[in-house]
Each structure stands twice: as C-alpha cells, then as structure tokens.
Amino acid sequence: MIGNILVGLVALIHCYIVYLEMVLWDTPRGRKVFKLTPDFASASKVLAANQGLYNGFLAAGLFWGLYLGAAGFQVKMFFLLCVTVAGLYGAATVGRKILYIQTVPSVLAILALWLGW
C-alpha cells in the first residue's frame, strides 16, 4: 500500500513537471522555477515541451503499473528506475534540487515496493 502511494506521488510529480515544461515554460512562473531568462525560455520552448512529453511518458507508465495492481510490479519498477536514472543525470548536469524532487521519491517508492510495503 505504501509503495503504491509513493508510486502515485512520483507519477503526480511528473504530471506537474509536464505542466511546467509544456505549458508554463516561458511564463513568469516557469521561468522562476527553472531560473530562465525570458529570451532563453522563448528560444527553448519547443525543446522544453519535448522534454515534458518524455516526463509524461514516465507518469503514464507509473499510472499503468498502478492500474495493473499486483501484476504491475515489474512495470512500476521499470518506470521508477527510469525516473531514478533521469533524476541522477539531471542532478549531475542541471542542479542538485532535481535529486530531491525526482530521485529521492522514486528510490523510496522502489524500496517500499521491493519490501512489499
């Protein structure tokens, strides 16, 4: 139960990231979150939307795993591992904040699922 709640939380975090990257990227809120200049936000808007789409696939995979119930264990683990790797890469290349927003929740979900919580 705890594992599935954490999987749902990770999926919702990624839904929010999708919204930030695909909708809010070049708005004052999006620029503040990602620390962007207006010119850079405008120039990179299409790239950010593409990145947002990939985050959407991560969320969709996690929701799919939840939908499958106990049979979705491997699906949930696969997508959580993808989130973990993406978070580690983002933390190493963009900023440490990503480690706490993406990686820590996904690792906690992996541990909870693995332990059968």
Side-chain angles (χ1 to χ4, degrees):
M1 176 85 168
I2 293 171
N4 283 331
I5 291 170
L6 291 172
V7 170
L9 175 66
V10 173
L12 290 173
I13 288 168
H14 279 76
C15 287
Y16 182 62
I17 293 170
V18 169
Y19 183 65
L20 284 169
E21 292 175 340
M22 295 189 84
V23 178
L24 299 180
W25 185 259
D26 62 347
T27 67
R29 183 172 181 181
R31 290 193 312 266
K32 180 179 178 186
V33 168
F34 295 106
K35 298 179 177 137
L36 307 173
T37 65
D39 289 339
F40 182 80
S42 179
S44 61
K45 184 176 180 174
V46 173
L47 293 173
N50 186 54
Q51 184 172 295
L53 186 62
Y54 285 101
N55 278 298
F57 291 138
L58 293 174
L62 293 169
F63 285 129
W64 175 38
L66 289 171
Y67 173 77
L68 293 173
F73 177 82
Q74 291 176 333
V75 172
K76 290 181 273 193
M77 291 300 275
F78 171 78
F79 283 97
L80 287 169
L81 287 169
C82 290
V83 169
T84 300
V85 171
L88 289 171
Y89 183 79
T93 60
V94 178
R96 184 174 277 186
K97 181 178 172 183
I98 295 171
L99 186 70
Y100 304 111
I101 293 172
Q102 276 187 285
T103 310
V104 169
S106 64
V107 168
L108 291 174
I110 288 168
L111 290 172
L113 287 176
W114 195 263
L115 295 172
W117 291 353

